Structures are given as structure tokens and as C-alpha cells.
Amino acid sequence: MRKIISFTIICTLVFICSCKDYLDVVPDNIATLDHSFNDRVGAERFLANCYSYLPNFGGAGSDPAILGSDEFWLHENESFYSQYYSMYGIDLKKNLQNVTDPLFNYWSSGNGGSKLFTGLRDCNIFLEKIGAVGDELSDADRTTWIAEVKFIKAYLHYYLLKLYGPIPLIKENLPISASVEEVQVYREPFDDCIDYIVALIDEAVPDLPLIVNSTATELGRITQPIALAVKAEVLVTAASPLFNGNADYTNVIDNQGRKLFIAEYDKEKWNRAMIACKNAIDTCLLGGHRFYSYRNPIYALSDTTQLLMTLRTVVTDKWNSELIWANSRNVVNVLERMAIPFFDKTQLSATNVSSNLAPTLNMAELFYTNNGVPIAEDNTYDYEGRYELTIAQSDHKYYISTGFQTPKLHLNREPRFYANLGFDGGIWYGNGRYNDVGVGASTTQPWVLLMKKGQTSGNTSNLKYSITGYYPKKLLHCETIHNPTTGGSPQQVRTTFPIIRLSDLYLLYAEAMNEYYEQPTAEVWEYVDIIRAKAGLRGVKESWSNHSINPGKPETKTGMREIIRQERLIELVFEGKRYWDLRRWKLAHTYYNQAVKGWNTDGAGNDFYIPKVLWTYTFGTKNYLWPIAETTLRADQNLVQNPYW
Amino acid sequence: MKRRLRIIVMFQLLIFLSVVWANAQEITISGKVTAMDNSFLPGVTITVVGTTRGVITDNDGSYTIMAKSDDKLVFSFIGMDTQIISVGNQKILNVQMKEKTEEMDEVTVVAFAKQKKESVLASITTVDVGDLKIPSSNLTTALAGRMSGLISYQRSGEPGQDDASFFVRGVTSFSYASSPLILIDGVEMSSSDLARLQPDDIASFSIMKDATATALYGARGANGVIMVTTREGREGKAQISFRYETSFSSPTKDIDLANAITYMKLNNEAIVTRDPANGVELYSMEKIEKTASGANPNVYPATNWYKALFKEVTINHRANFNVSGGGKVARYYIAGTFNQDNGALNVDSKNNFNNNIDLKRYLLRSNVNINITNTTEAVVRLHGTFDDYTGPIDGGSALYSKVMRTDPVLFPAYYEADEQYKYTSHILFGNSGTGNYINPYADMVKGYKEYSKSVMLAQFEVKQKLDFVAKGLFFRGLFSTNRYSYFDVSRYYNPFYYSIGLYDKYTDKYSLACLNPTGGTEYLTYDPGDKTVNTTTYLEGTLNYSTTIAEKHDVSGLLVSTMRNYLTGNAETLQLSLPQRNLGISGRFTYSYDKRYFTEFNFGYNGSERFAKKERFGFFPSAGVAWFASNEPFWKNNLQKVITKLKLKATYGLVGNDAIGSSADRFFYLSEVNLNNSSKGFTFGEDFAYTVNGVSISRYENDKISWETARKMNLGMELGLFDDLEIQADYYTEYRTNILMSRQYIPASMGLQATPQSNVGEASSRGLDVSLDYQHNFKNGTWLAARANFTYAKSKYEVYEDLDNTTTPWLSRIGKPISQQWGYVAERLFVDDTEVANSPTQTFGDYMGGDIKYKDINGDDQITSLDKVPIGYPTEPEIVYGFGFSTGYKNFDLSCFFQGLAREAFWINSTTTAPFVDTDGSSGIISKNALLNVYADNHWSEKNRDVHALWPRLSDHLIENNTVTSTWFMRDGSFLRLKSLEFGFSIPKKKVEDIGIKQLRIYFSGTNLFVLSKFKLWDPEMAGEGLGYPIQKVYNVGLQVSF
């Protein structure tokens, strides 16, 4: 017996000793997160990683302000949609927002929403660990990089705040092993959120460059003008009616008894915003940002066409001087494929285009008359008869095909109307034809859109048409063309998408001043007039007193408020701004609850020109803020749901 | 003690020798040697013990030999038990020789060894291998209902993809791996290796269920063990057997689709009913009427895609051949198998290649045992399985689902050539648009895929008796290596698609238009496909000791060490490329007294490379006791006649599982990062020329993750009644702890890129396994064997980290079965839009009258995910049972077997069956679902507002409101089917003996001949996957010959 026992023990021991290392299969130098901060290359990748969390502005499927906005309506055919883009924006307009699986869920990601909180965690990791990189990262670069990441951290907070109002502030990261109690964070009161965001930007600004060092490798990186412009926008948002003294939100109280919104209106918030706007404008000018002007080096253009092109391409001309901050991701690509009409029958076999992004008739009515006042206010404009047909004369030859039968609505409008919208009979410069109207062979002169049923740009059997009878010309780069061979994707010119441009900032400044002062001041008119002059319109006071049925409107604060707002809606149309503006003004429910209209695109001939109701919105108080997903609330019981959800 | 024994033996020997000396006179002894069947045995060697004298029997089995009356004669013959007979006073000595009995009958295969059946107290079920012979090339499809303790079902009938799922005593874990450990000849193999085993090659098939049976496999035993040993050669002359089968296979049930006319009418209804104001009917009355009247079928197609693609019957072949035999020194078992399984797909005569599924499988097995010395035996096992497959590019199941996604009236499968294309050599496939619609016929015949799969296994085993160290000590060493390789190649052309260009209805002339003149090709292109290779190496050493002390005390011990290494050539990341290893020592100690009282202790001490150093090893002990009541002295008299056997047993122990988390989660204690991730970076620069990649984290490190552990308890009883009936019943409970799960409470605001995991889950299960065996031989030669099995396994969540459920207790998983589904309670269909407006808001998109109305559980006046409740039975059946009998009279035999399952729910897939809707999901391809006849006959419509109709209001787009999981489309999955039926006839022996044939049997058999179920749309065993490749009904003719 003893022999057996000793034999087995020896066997066992030999076995265990020989195999002790048998299970150590993992070699050293397996990649871990710390490797990222061993050298400059790794750290730069982590920096780019932080940038990658910035929302995808202008993305059809990721930016709620594009397809979610009332600027557009699309014909409904789900199998058609799914081939080109996701439908979250359309669902949003149809009031399909819900708490089960929210659309554009930027809180816990999904349905077009990206992971902003993950971005915040990564920003914090960067800020924690960047100190570990050795000397090969110069102190100057390190300081700039830290400032950039601080800005991104502030921006991600701000984007969440635009959607949700009060949010948890991710000042520092919680450890992975944090307990159940620790991870259940609170939403902080709205004003604290604003203060934190502004403080972060203020920390970052001194270390940011005024302009980037190398345009070849750094355009798109954060600069002082960007940070200050965003700060201005943050403070304007905070001072706006939605968040400043909104009685709807007085009862949002968390389980600690804290009120998340302050019920009282505070005028000083406008002062703070006003100062920030001015500071931003000054810094932008110092940094070389100027209003944009289109230059065509090859073709001589008439003044009219030149002006139209300036007003049109400010959005699609990459990195132009008016853009303070632009999205350098290739998102406009998708928008262009939605916005490109068929100009010519030979193009009908083009693939990878959906050509169905349709600005509503309401947008066509938004633009001023050529007198620079709203169509309903112009004392010379036949507002009631605007849908009546008439013949376009040659004085409109740069706008509309001479002799074309067209509704009065399309005549005598301001240049931005013609620059930004494509419509039946409208002149469309560029996109393959670069001679001006009346110059050269007819096949080189600008396109004329023909949008009635069965016509080239209209409702044909392929579902690639605008349901309203309009196209957003502004979003199509003037050199993007359909592939000339049969089939194939269009040949696109890569663009940037504006996040903030100078006009935007000027109008924010005007708005803040108007709100802060008791009466409109000369400076308020001045800043609005700069934008109007750019669009070929006369000043506010002159235009209203000469042409408006309400000539004293610019003299009053409320009148001027309306004027500034309409100016903003016109100037920044289709740029993802209207969506947020209508919300912060707390006007979305009035605007959205108008019927969505378009022309009768099922109509051939003059049947086309019958306004048709396409949709009726139901926008309620709850729609101003995003719902937090039910599952998120169940995971974090300290969160309070947004009102009315 | 030992020394005293030795003295006794010496003393007895002395006495014996002195007796021998006393009787020394030789006499002549003669006699005949016969076999058990009374036939005479020639060639039997007869020797006198202690001398060299010997004779051999004549042709008639007779012999004559001189011996003394105190001599002993040894009768020996190859393949027979050697007999030693004392001469005594007999002059005529007739001897009947017995064939060597197979030890399988008396012993049970247990972990790493064999035990005498009577002393086994673990819960182990063995199956009669003959029961596994069904007309299928897939062994796993034969398992359901054959063995108590096994939950099994089959979801697809496609050759090569038809493996059944099986679980030992159900599933008690909600972690990654729930399938049992499969051991073939002691080596871990995959379920597809098991599927490819040939029943003829199997010596024993058993499943190990409780802790005592599986604790030794600590690393992987928690989910139960399936253990198969292959046959070895037996001493004796070569035995040859041959089996050949041809089977005719067809779907158990065809999907019934609505005809083209109904399809068009209801499609029109679907459009208009959803949008009465703007909806425009898709099909004109003219098209409908022309189609109905059978006008030009090219212009007005009404394609039955099922008929276009699939044959009704397909023929398969199987042949198996094996030889076994051997002598004193070496024994062999050699087997070869050839199977050919064909699919049910049509082949277009214009192609010169075969796109139908043709799966040929070759198996070769050679098991050789060699006695190197008197105490040393070596075993070499070589086994290869080789699959050669050709089939359609997409695979059979995909084609079945494509048929369901194709519009029957848009275009025909292909056009007959018109004037213009008269000389075109390619097939003019039908399509529409730009050729971007699904044409399943084109997808089927456009090319073919070939794959080749090989599994090579080589094993070397040495058994060494160590009696020189201690009597009863025994060593066994096993080295095994397994190589797997797979590759596939596809060859196909891009189909040319056509549609009707012009059609003149007055002259009935049409011309075709090619939709993709530049996209199609007449020549084949090539796709190199996947290549998969991996190797497994396994090393095992066991030391066995058993002895009997003072006749009544049986003691045995076993010590095993194992090492396993797996390496794959297809790893996607560095971490996954590292070898997978297991290391373990296990042991068993048994003690029994007088064959009445038994005890056993087992342990496994196992290591896995997946865990951090301090968590790497797990210790899994188990113990059991048994009482063999019928061996008690008091049992002997009257009781014995009624209750011939009664054994009670109880075991308890721990078993582990390291297959937790997905296989991509190799090393929990390491973080997994990608420091150069191109999908996460950002692009800067004027010309977008400076792109910097980002960093991503797919796992955070956690060095605390360790083994999942099961605590298993088993109470068992073996009962024999009247010698005819044997009942085995086991009741068990299991409690699983340390189940790996994702932490649910981590809110999004933590900003983690990957959800951390932790060993926090717990689950339990309990159940009952019962098997009944009845065997009786009647006096007139009729024999009857009947068998029934019943398995009940019910699991439940015990600890599951979840979101806060205090206000919604119905969402809690605690106490619910592991495969329980949560869904909405469908009340009925909405009567009309007014009711919709007055009911709680349902938050799953558009809906109107005629759509499903759900119950507002929490009363918040809206239907959200908070209103989900546990609905129906779990999706894994809780009861699986089977029963059947075999009987024979003279040369005829008949057997049948029924199998069923119960307490299972499944859901009709309301997305893939939603008529007229594109559910293909791939961009650029347009599909349109076909219409099931049952939906056509029974749906809500404005004319017939049946709020209990099977299908809600029709729609031409997907109504998400109706596709969420709910009670509406839930169905009872229970069924009972005639799994197999076999009738055999053996040609009387006398007629075939002359040509050297021992047995010749012809048989007819069938599988899945009918099924009883409440569900009628498709075979209920396919559950929710009813639109895939159907389960097959097989008629089979076979021939069995042995020489």
C-alpha cells in the first residue's frame, strides 16, 4: 500500500512541476490602454479618438436637425428609404419619438445617436494620462492638445444639454469597479451645467491657437474662434426662452429635492450672451474670418449670378473664410445624393442617388420679397394671389426661364430664394453647365428644372423625385455632377458642413442685444443689415418703412425680435440651425403645427400648381426636450425623466 | 496481511501436488466439442495442464486424448472462452464452448475507466447502439427521446446543416456554453464530429449526468458529458458485416402559399387599407384577370417558386462496411463508410454543373489492439472523416427563405427566348427594376460552391499492468491528436436579368429587355471562400488500482492527469491566436462492502488558461453512496421473485465550467484594446488628407473572473421487476453559481465602451429522468422489447443582476426559466381607428384598426417595454420523451419509436412572414414576401373585422406594432411524432449459410412519418425557423449482410 501511495505522490508531483507553466500562454507586451500614452503617435491617436466623438453635424442619419427639421418633407416609401439613409429623422417628424427606444438616442446611443458619454470618458482618460507621454511631445503641443480635449469635453456636454436640458456632469471618470450606488449619477441643475461648460471653454481658450499652424494637416482642429463662438452659442441658448424662465419645467425635481430648472426669467443671461457674442466676433475677425464671396476663375458671370452663387456656395465651399467651425467628415456626401435633381433625361439611370430631399412650400414662403420684407407684409406683393400662375418675364432671366408659366410666389423674391431653392422652371447654374444665362451654346447654359409629373426632375417611375416640387440647391456643391456614363454614383466634390459661420454669430449678437436692451439700438440694426446687405437687400429700417404694411416694426423690441428671427431662419436655412432655433425660442409648437405643404407633384401640366397638404404635425410641449430611455432610468434611479414623457 | 495470504497459497499448493502424485494412471478420453448453437467445432486445441501434450478436434469436433484421472484438460479456441476441466473418472468428455462475452454487458463506461455495472452509483444512461441506427447520416438526429436525461430537438433538414441541438438535463446556465462535453474515445470533440459518427462503429454511447459521473471532468463537466467509445476488435475469426441503404427523402410538411390571384388582390387590399386617401392599387384588374385566365405566362407570370426550385423527393445512399477479428496478440476493427446526401434542389439543364446539394462523406476507422507483452497492451486508433460537398452558393436554407421573399407575379424564373434573344446561350432570368430584385431561381442555378472538410484523428494508448508493483495496479497512457481542415470555393456567373420590354396585347407579342447588359456575365467567376484549420492535442495518464480484501471489501482508486492544447489558424486577434489549454488532475476512490453498500469519492482539480493566475485552478469534489437492497440476505426469498433488483443511490458534488463568456473573450484578466482603430479616428486638413486613427477598448480587465460552478445532487433508483422490466429513475437538482454575466446596472453615463462582466449570476434546475425497459421472450419464439424514456428538466434564474424592477416586478427574471421569453400580452385586434384613439398609446410605430392591441400592464396608459411580461413556455422544451417497441417472430422483426416534446413555446416569425414586405435587410436588393395561404384565408379586413383573425390588417410595409414579441404569434411547440418505423426480414440461415453468409437481412424503415401537433403551418420541431430547409421525412430500404 505504502508503495502505491508513494508512487502516485511522486507521479503527481512530477506532473505538477513539469506543467506549472503550461497554462501561461500569454506573452508579454500584449497591447493595453497605457501603451497609447507611451509616445507621441499613440497620444495623437487618442486625441483623434476624442475628436471622433463630436456629433456628426449634417449627417442625414445622425443629426436630428437635418431630416428631423420641418424644412424638408420626403415622399414615403420605406423600401426606397432604406437603400439610401436611415429614417430616424422622418420618424422624429412623425412624432414617433418614444421612451422605449428613443430616436437619436444620444444618451445611451442608438437610432442615429452616438455615444457622447463614452466620448466624455475618453476625454477624461486623455486628460488623466497625457502627462505620461515623454519629452517627445513638446510642452506647447501638450498644452494645446489638453485645451482641445477640454473644449471637446465641453462641447459634448453642451450637445447633451441641447437635447436633454439638465445632464450629469462627467467631470472625472468613475472607476470601472465603482459600486451600484456610485454609478447612479444625478442630473445637475441647468444653470450649473451651463456654468461648467463655460468654465471649461474659458479654461481652454488661452491655450488654443488663433489660427491653425498647418492648414494641410490641422484644419478641423479646435481654434480660439471656434471655442469662443461655441461659448456664445451656449450662452445664447441658456438665455433663450426655452431655458430662461420656462414655466413648463418648474416641477422637474430630482429625488434629492433639487429643482433642475430655475423658474424665474433672468435678463442678465442675455447680457452675458451678448458680451460672449461680441468677444467671439472680434476674435473671429482677428483670426481672419471674413464674409464669403464666390469666385469663379474661369467663367465670367453676371452680377446677379455671382450674387446667387455667393449666397449658395457659402455652405458647400470647403473651409471658406466665413466658416468658423466646419465638420470635416464626409457627411455632405449623403446629403448631396439626396439633394441632386435629375437635370437631363440621360441621367435617369444614375445610381446611388435618392434625389428626394424636398424643402416644403412653407420654406418657399419664408423668404422675403425683393424688397426685403416678408411676403405677407409687402405692400406691393399680391400675397393672396401668390399661387396664381403668370408668365416669367426676361427681367427674371437669371432666376427663371423666360416665358415660363409660374406661380407669382416664384417672382419678385429676394436673391436668397433663387440661390437656395430649385423649383419648376427655375434656373440652376453649375453642376456640369458653367456658362451664364445667355452665354454660349444652349447646351452649356444653366439647367432649367422641369418638375411636373413625368418630367425629368419630376415624379417619374423611379421614386427619385421631390415630393414638394423644390430642391435644396444650397446643399449641392455646384461642381458635383451625375456620372455621365450610364449608371454609377455621382462625381462629388468633397465639402465641409458648417457648424458655426460668421453670419450665424452676427445674428446671435443682434438677437442678444435686442433682448437685453429695452429698445433696439443702432447696433442691433447694424448687425442685421450687414447680413442683409450681403444678400443684396437694403437695411431693415429702410425696407420696412418703404415697403411694409407695418413700417414701424424695426423700432420696437418685439418687432425687431421677429425680424431677427426671420432673418436667421432665411440666412441659415437648410444648415441644421432652424431645428434648434425654433426650440430655444419655444416656437416649435406654433411653427410645427402648421400644415406641411408642397405642390401637387402627382400633377402633370398646370395641375402641378395646386398646393397640397402633405402632413400635419403634432408637436407638444414634451417634444422640446428628448426623452431619456426607460432602460436608462431603470439603470440609474437617480435620474428624473424629462417632463411629460 | 499479504504475507499471510502468500503462506496460505503455498500451503495449498503443497497439498495439491501430493494428491497429483497419488493418481498416476493414464486413460483414453474422447468426446465432442460443440459451439453454443450445437454445431461441431473443428480445430479446438486440447492440452493437458503441465505437459506439452495436445490434440486438435476433427472436422466433426471429435477428439481423443490420453490423460490421468487427476489431470486437467484445457480446451481453447480462438474467439471462445478457454475452459479447464478436471478429468476425474469420465471417459467421454463433451464440451460446449462459449463465445467470449463482450465485457460491455457487465461493465459501464465511467469517467476515465470502466466500472462493474452493479457498483456504479453515478447517474449514467447508456443507449442501445442499435437504437441509433436510423436512416440518416446524422447521428444527432437519432438522439431525441432515446435516452432519459437528454433534451434534444432538430430545427433544420438541410444536409450538412441538420445537427440537432442537445442538452444534458436541459440548460442551467445563461452564460455562453450550455452544450455538453462530448468525448469520443476519451477525447473532447465537437458536436459535428458526433453527428458524423457511424452507429455501426459505436461500442457504447452514454451520457453522464450527475456530479459523481462528471466531477472528474471538472473543467467542462458542468453541462453533462456525452461519452462514446468506438468498437475494438475481438479475438476470433474475421467478422464482416455490410450494410447498405437507399432512402427517399421529402419534406415532412410543405409550406402552403396563396396563389397568384389571391396574392395580387390582397396586395391591392394591403395598400389601400393602410392609406385609403392616397393608396393606389398596384395591380390592375386587367393584370389580375389575364393572370387568372392563364394568358401569356411570360407577360403575366404566376410563378410557384417552391416548384421552380425544389424537387419533391430526393434519393440518398449510405453504405457501411466493417471487419473485426484478431488473435491472441493483435485484434482489429476496421470500418469504412460512404454516405451520399442529396438536396432537394432543381438543376437547370442549360448549366453543365450541378448546383444541387450533394454531400458525400467518407469515413475510415481502424482500431488495432496489440498485446506487446503479457502485461502490456497498445491500442492505435486512426480515424478520418472526409466531407466533399457541392451545393448552391447560398446554401439550402437561404434558398428556402428567399423563395418566401419573392414576388410570384412580378417575373417568371426565366423567360423563354423571344425572336431577339433566340441565339442567346445564357438563361434569360426574370427580374425587374435594375435587376435588383431577388430571383431565387437565378441565385440557385448561377453557380455552385464546393467545400471539403477533413477531420483526422490519431490516438495511441498504452495499458500496462503493474502487478509487479502491486496486484491490481494498472497504468494507462493516451496520446491523441486531432487535425481539422476546411476550405470552400465558389464558382458562379452573374446572371443576366430580363424583363418584358414591350408587349402588344392585341397580337400577344412581347419583346424582352435586358436589365443588366453590363452587369451579367456568361463566364464563371471565382470566390476563394473560407479556409479553416485547427489542431487539438491531448495527453492523458491514468493510474488504476483495485483489490478485494477479505472477499467482501472492494477498494479501488484512480488518478488521472490530463493536458489539452488547442490551436487555431484562423484567429482574428493576437489574443485569440494563443493556444487554448486545460490541465487537470482527477481522482476517484471507491469502497464497497459485500456488494451491498457502496461509497465513492471523486475530485477534479482543473486549470484553464483563461483566468488570472490566482483564479486559474478550480477544485471540484463529489461523493456518493448506494445501497444494493436486493443483494441483502433477507431479500433472497419471495421478494426476489417480484423485485429482482433494487438499488438506491445518492450523489452530491461540484462540477466546473470554464467555457464562459463568448469564445472571443479569451483572457478576462487582460484588457483588449485596438490602439490603431481606423473606424474611430478623425480626418483633418484642407484636403482631408491627414487622417489619424483612434483607440478602442473592447474589454476592460478583470482578474476576478473565474470558474462557473455547478452543485449537483442526484437521487436514483434502479428497479428490476420479474426479470422482464427494468426501471431507472433519477431525481436531480442543480444549483449553478458564478455564472458570467454582463453587469446590467452600469448606466450609459459611465461611458464604457464595453460592458464589464462578472461572475454574479446564479441559476438552478431540477428534474426527473425515467427510463423503462421491458424484455420478454415468449415460448413460441416471439420476442418483445419495449422501451420508454421521459426527461423533465426545469430551470430557473436565481440571481440575475437586472435593472430596477421594484415597480415592474413582472420584468424580473428571478424564478423564471432560462429560455423564458418576455413579450406583450395581445388582447385581440383593434376593431377600428376609434378604438385605437381611445386605447393606451402603443409605442412601436404606426398602427390602426385591425392591428394588434396590447394590454397595458402597468396602467400608465401607454404600451412600452415596461409592459412586457413572461409569456408562454420556455423556448427550450422542458419535457422530452420517447417510447417504442421492437418485436420479432421467426425471421421477421418490427420496431417503431415515437418521440415527442412538450412544454415548449415558439413564435411564428411575424417579420419574415409579413406578406408584401421587404424584409431582406440587405441594401440594394429588393425583396417582397410571399403570402402564406393561412394568412390569406384568415386576416382582418375592413369587410371582415374579425378581431381574432390570425393575421392583422394587411400592409405593404412592415408594421412594427405587429412584429414585437407578443402572445399573438406564440404557439405551443409540443408534438408527438412517429420518429422511426422499421420492418425487417432475415433470410433463413439455412438458405444463405452455404455461400458463407451468417446473416442476411432486408429492411424497410421510415423516419418522421407523421407528427401530431396543434400547429399546422410547418413541422413544429422547426419552431420559429419554419421557412428554412424543412425537416425530412425519409423512406428507406436497407440490406444488412454479415459473414
Side-chain angles (χ1 to χ4, degrees), chain B residues 577-773:
Chain B
S577 76
L578 297 169
Q580 291 180 20
R581 286 184 178 168
N582 282 100
L583 185 67
I585 300 177
S586 324
R588 172 189 298 131
F589 305 98
T590 69
Y591 167 76
S592 68
Y593 175 72
D594 197 23
K595 301 192 171 19
R596 286 182 282 158
Y597 308 104
F598 300 84
T599 59
E600 186 171 326
F601 171 75
N602 294 292
F603 75 90
Y605 181 67
N606 294 78
S608 166
E609 91 297 347
R610 304 185 73 188
F611 307 123
K613 262 194 173 145
K614 61 187 169 52
E615 303 289 346
R616 208 161 266 175
F617 281 87
F619 180 67
F620 307 104
S622 81
V625 291
W627 177 42
F628 214 132
S630 52
N631 282 357
E632 291 284 354
F634 62 79
W635 204 272
K636 291 292 173 226
N637 305 320
N638 292 334
L639 258 180
Q640 182 82 58
K641 285 176 191 156
V642 183
I643 301 174
T644 48
K645 178 183 172 190
L646 176 65
K647 186 168 146 194
L648 300 172
K649 52 194 186 179
T651 65
Y652 183 82
L654 301 182
V655 196
N657 179 18
D658 75 338
I660 58 173
S662 83
S663 53
D665 266 342
R666 279 295 304 283
F667 303 101
F668 297 101
Y669 62 98
L670 296 174
S671 65
E672 176 117 72
V673 292
N674 181 349
L675 298 180
N676 194 7
N677 187 341
S678 59
S679 65
K680 281 202 73 189
F682 207 81
T683 297
F684 305 101
E686 185 162 18
D687 295 314
F688 315 101
Y690 190 64
T691 299
V692 185
N693 289 346
V695 174
S696 61
I697 303 168
S698 49
R699 185 179 59 240
Y700 293 95
E701 60 192 54
N702 184 345
D703 61 2
K704 299 202 172 52
I705 288 178
S706 187
W707 297 84
E708 178 180 312
T709 312
R711 293 202 298 268
K712 293 176 183 237
M713 192 273 290
N714 191 77
L715 298 174
M717 181 188 73
E718 290 167 28
L719 182 68
L721 293 173
F722 307 107
D723 269 331
D724 292 335
L725 183 64
E726 175 145 349
I727 301 168
Q728 277 203 40
D730 286 289
Y731 168 77
Y732 74 91
T733 64
E734 176 173 347
Y735 198 96
R736 201 70 78 97
T737 56
N738 273 10
I739 299 173
L740 188 75
M741 63 177 292
S742 295
R743 312 220 72 167
Q744 300 291 310
Y745 69 78
I746 303 276
S749 53
M750 270 291 269
L752 299 183
Q753 292 185 39
T755 314
Q757 295 179 304
S758 180
N759 293 104
V760 288
E762 293 181 16
S764 71
S765 68
R766 66 200 154 80
L768 195 64
D769 316 329
V770 183
S771 68
L772 289 135
D773 277 280

Side-chain angles (χ1 to χ4, degrees), chain A residues 185-202:
Chain A
V185 293
Y186 282 93
R187 299 173 73 181
E188 301 297 328
F190 184 82
D191 288 0
D192 294 358
C193 296
I194 293 290
D195 289 345
Y196 178 69
I197 291 165
V198 171
L200 261 180
I201 296 177
D202 285 343

Side-chain angles (χ1 to χ4, degrees), chain B residues 346-409:
Chain B
N346 284 325
V347 177
D348 195 291
S349 57
K350 274 200 178 176
N351 286 330
N352 64 350
F353 53 79
N354 180 4
N355 57 265
N356 190 9
I357 296 174
D358 176 5
L359 175 60
K360 291 192 183 73
R361 184 172 295 147
Y362 315 88
L363 290 96
L364 199 65
R365 180 179 295 281
S366 153
N367 292 350
V368 178
N369 301 42
I370 303 161
N371 294 346
I372 297 173
T373 68
N374 272 343
T375 57
T376 317
E377 185 186 359
V379 190
V380 175
R381 297 187 189 95
L382 296 170
H383 173 58
T385 308
F386 311 97
D387 289 4
D388 284 335
Y389 168 95
T390 59
I393 305 281
D394 295 327
S397 269
L399 287 174
Y400 273 91
S401 45
K402 276 186 176 178
V403 162
M404 189 57 203
R405 290 193 184 131
T406 310
D407 189 330
V409 293

